Amino acid sequence: MSDLTSLQSISLTESNKQIIREAFDSVKVLQDKLQNHPSPTRVVDKEDVKISLSEFVLARKNRDLIYALNQVQEIPSDAVLLQEMVITQLTANYAKQSGTVVSPEEVRDAIDFQKAALNEADPNDENHRLIRYIMENRVRISGKTEEEFWSSDEVYQGYETSLYKSKLIESILSDESMKGMDSYYELQEKLFNDYQKKHPIHVPDLNELFQQADL
């Protein structure tokens, strides 16, 4: 799950519990159907940028869930979401190619820190309970135990990517010849534009998939 910080003012009401359960149940149903779907299993698969249809479905439902909990009606398009996912991978790849190093120990430490933070969350804090409930449902639909989930390649790769992006930002901010975050955003825009010129990105019609799955 991404951008859980945007839920800081949301409580774990019974209504929100239902929204969360139904969102993850729909992800599980659709992902199960996609295992035998005749369409290509990857939305993007060029030059080390790999996004599966299942990952895109999860990201779409994750985005919709966060907007629903925040009661925001205007949701960004699927094209914007896919662009953000591609940019994330391009940025991490650029950091690696530029000499940024992220060790396995750093990744495990980041995962362990997040896992501990969730487990040690204040049970009397409604927002902490909400985020914990979201993660419990995320683990539930994975079909793994909590330990297996946090030890999975999916989680490892997500945190590794995040660390590469964080270290790249730190490098840019510490370089006086750069323009701070403006330089970072300009770099991301260039990476995406260069990539899209060589590999046009086609957004899958998830509404059609949802209809086929009765979601």
Side-chain angles (χ1 to χ4, degrees), residues 143-187:
K144 299 178 174 67
T145 65
E146 185 173 351
E147 191 60 38
E148 289 170 341
F149 174 81
W150 288 106
S151 300
S152 67
D153 289 341
E154 175 189 0
V155 170
Y156 183 95
Q157 291 167 5
Y159 277 83
E160 182 183 49
T161 296
S162 179
L163 285 171
Y164 272 115
K165 288 177 60 182
S166 295
K167 287 195 172 186
L168 178 61
I169 290 174
E170 290 175 5
S171 175
I172 289 175
L173 292 179
S174 65
D175 187 340
E176 295 183 358
S177 67
M178 306 289 275
K179 298 180 292 182
M181 289 303 295
D182 286 343
S183 291
Y184 176 71
Y185 296 133
E186 288 171 4
L187 170 63

Side-chain angles (χ1 to χ4, degrees), residues 50-79:
K50 302 182 185 299
I51 300 172
S52 71
L53 190 53
S54 180
E55 289 170 335
F56 187 60
V57 165
L58 179 60
R60 158 78 179 270
K61 286 291 187 176
N62 169 50
R63 178 203 64 188
D64 292 352
L65 171 61
I66 289 175
Y67 275 76
L69 291 172
N70 280 296
Q71 299 182 349
V72 176
Q73 301 299 320
E74 296 184 8
I75 301 177
S77 68
D78 288 351

Side-chain angles (χ1 to χ4, degrees), residues 124-138:
N124 297 316
D125 186 304
E126 281 293 310
N127 184 246
H128 289 178
R129 292 177 60 221
L130 174 83
I131 294 174
R132 176 66 185 170
Y133 190 74
I134 289 174
M135 288 308 303
E136 287 174 352
N137 278 271
R138 174 69 185 93

Side-chain angles (χ1 to χ4, degrees), residues 99-118:
T100 300
V101 176
V102 172
S103 70
E105 292 76 19
E106 287 178 293
V107 179
R108 290 308 326 169
D109 285 347
I111 294 172
D112 290 343
F113 178 83
Q114 181 63 73
K115 181 181 175 184
L118 287 168

